[in-house]
Amino acid sequence: MSNVALASVGAWLRRHQALAAIIRFRRSTTTSAPAPWGTGGGWRDATFNAYPDWVQINFGGTKTVDRVVVYTLQDNYTTPIEPTDTLTFSTWGVTGFTVQGWNGSAWITLATVSGNNLVKRTVNFTAFTTDRIRVNVTSALSSHSRITEIEAWDVAVSGAVPDTTLPTVPVGLSATPISTTQINLSWTASTDNVGVTGYKVYRGAPWFGSPTTTSYTDTGLTASTSYSYTLAACDAANNCSAQSNPVSATTMPAATSSNVALASVGAVAFSTWGVTGFTVQGWNGSAWITLATVSGNNLVKRTVNFAAFTTDRIRVNVTSALSSHSRITEIEAWGN
């Protein structure tokens, strides 16, 4: 018996009304929490307090199904847990729906549910052969239909040998910091006796990413912070390998500016006279280039901005001063 609503076996989603997010179809079992509602973890209809709303799944060919599992939104939707068969809701969930199958010319109602309060509601019905199913929501709490996942299960084939072979452990995992908030991961593809359908990316303990290719982009990170990653490969029967060897990477530091004219970092003052008028110059390797000009100054602390200039020295040329002398107490030069 297997879940025939998986994208990995060719099933695809057709949507009625607008989608808030794409429904994620899970494999037969999983031990990790589902995605939060606000990060792609579910579907909500676009019409307030209007029913029915329906979600249709087209299989990758004809299947004989006898069970559908509908997952609705948990009360604690920001940090959801893996639903059990007894987990209930009281705020957001779907309370009534029908399951239908296409017979080639019309939709046939296979099961009807009312008064539901289970986050994970399993519906069994007489085996039905079809290439698509549809879940019609007829009632829900808080005026919207909210579904996080749908599973459709085909009938077990007599004498079929289950796939229990684990994919090979991923190798060659590397982590490359791209910015203050992003690290890119890549690895060598794993192998399996049937075929690898995807990977689980772990950052420390939790599983948080499910790529189907051999790369993953981790974003929303903190600058100058080290992150450790491991990886597991999975097949269509939800056989998952052991986790790979860990790799670590540190995000780039946030950009800062500093005073490069400090004596403590090796700067040397070439003149010390001060200041109602002056120019700021930078050395380009063969000549002094004027970067800024100041006149009529009466500020004790005068900040001068100019276009960024790369140099190993600067010069302040005093052109006028009070009381017949140039007097300077401090000069700062700021750069990245």
Side-chain angles (χ1 to χ4, degrees):
M1 182 179 294
S2 61
N3 179 8
V4 297
L6 288 172
S8 62
V9 295
W12 56 279
L13 174 68
R14 182 181 176 189
R15 305 147 191 173
H16 176 59
Q17 301 182 349
L19 281 177
I22 296 174
I23 296 175
R24 300 180 62 191
F25 297 99
R26 68 176 70 193
R27 298 181 177 86
S28 58
T29 58
T30 178
T31 57
S32 295
W37 179 255
T39 59
W43 166 87
R44 190 193 74 178
D45 72 284
T47 306
F48 179 83
N49 205 27
Y51 303 97
D53 304 307
W54 55 261
V55 179
Q56 179 178 322
I57 305 167
N58 286 28
F59 304 143
T62 300
K63 306 290 182 181
T64 300
V65 295
D66 63 357
R67 176 162 57 106
V68 165
V69 185
V70 177
Y71 294 78
T72 192
L73 187 62
Q74 303 178 26
D75 290 346
N76 186 19
Y77 64 87
T78 57
T79 55
I81 63 173
E82 181 65 19
T84 65
D85 291 330
T86 58
L87 180 64
T88 61
F89 64 83
S90 60
T91 306
W92 311 105
V94 169
T95 56
F97 62 92
T98 63
V99 178
Q100 295 181 324
W102 182 252
N103 71 357
S105 59
W107 288 101
I108 305 300
T109 298
L110 307 176
T112 300
V113 174
S114 62
N116 177 58
N117 70 340
L118 294 176
V119 172
K120 174 186 177 183
R121 181 60 183 261
T122 300
V123 182
N124 296 290
F125 45 84
T126 303
F128 186 81
T129 301
T130 184
D131 66 349
R132 69 199 75 172
I133 64 164
R134 190 161 68 175
V135 174
N136 284 308
V137 178
T138 55
S139 61
L141 299 182
S142 300
S143 304
H144 280 288
S145 302
R146 297 174 176 87
I147 294 177
T148 58
E149 300 186 18
I150 296 175
E151 297 173 357
W153 293 83
D154 63 352
V155 178
V157 179
S158 177
V161 178
D163 177 13
T164 59
T165 302
L166 276 59
T168 59
V169 177
V171 297
L173 177 60
S174 64
T176 304
I178 301 300
S179 68
T180 58
T181 60
Q182 177 178 329
I183 293 176
N184 287 357
L185 306 177
S186 63
W187 57 90
T188 302
S190 294
T191 59
D192 182 67
N193 64 319
V194 177
V196 173
T197 57
Y199 298 86
K200 294 180 179 180
V201 179
Y202 298 81
R203 186 202 301 141
W207 161 35
F208 74 101
S210 303
T212 58
T213 62
T214 56
S215 63
Y216 187 79
T217 299
D218 189 14
T219 58
L221 306 177
T222 302
S224 301
T225 303
S226 178
Y227 295 90
S228 179
Y229 301 91
T230 58
L231 188 69
C234 300
D235 62 18
N238 203 39
N239 299 308
C240 294
S241 71
Q243 294 181 34
S244 67
N245 290 330
V247 297
S248 297
T250 301
T251 49
M252 294 180 177
T256 59
S257 60
S258 61
N259 182 6
V260 296
L262 291 173
S264 60
V265 294
V268 178
F270 288 92
S271 62
T272 55
W273 311 102
V275 61
T276 56
F278 62 93
T279 63
V280 179
Q281 296 181 324
W283 182 252
N284 71 357
S286 59
W288 289 100
I289 304 300
T290 297
L291 307 177
T293 300
V294 174
S295 62
N297 177 57
N298 68 343
L299 295 176
V300 173
K301 174 185 177 183
R302 181 61 184 258
T303 299
V304 183
N305 297 294
F306 45 83
F309 186 80
T310 302
T311 184
D312 64 349
R313 68 198 75 173
I314 62 165
R315 187 165 68 180
V316 176
N317 283 316
V318 177
T319 55
S320 59
L322 299 177
S323 301
S324 304
H325 283 289
S326 300
R327 298 173 177 88
I328 293 177
T329 59
E330 185 176 340
I331 295 175
E332 297 177 354
W334 292 83
N336 292 328

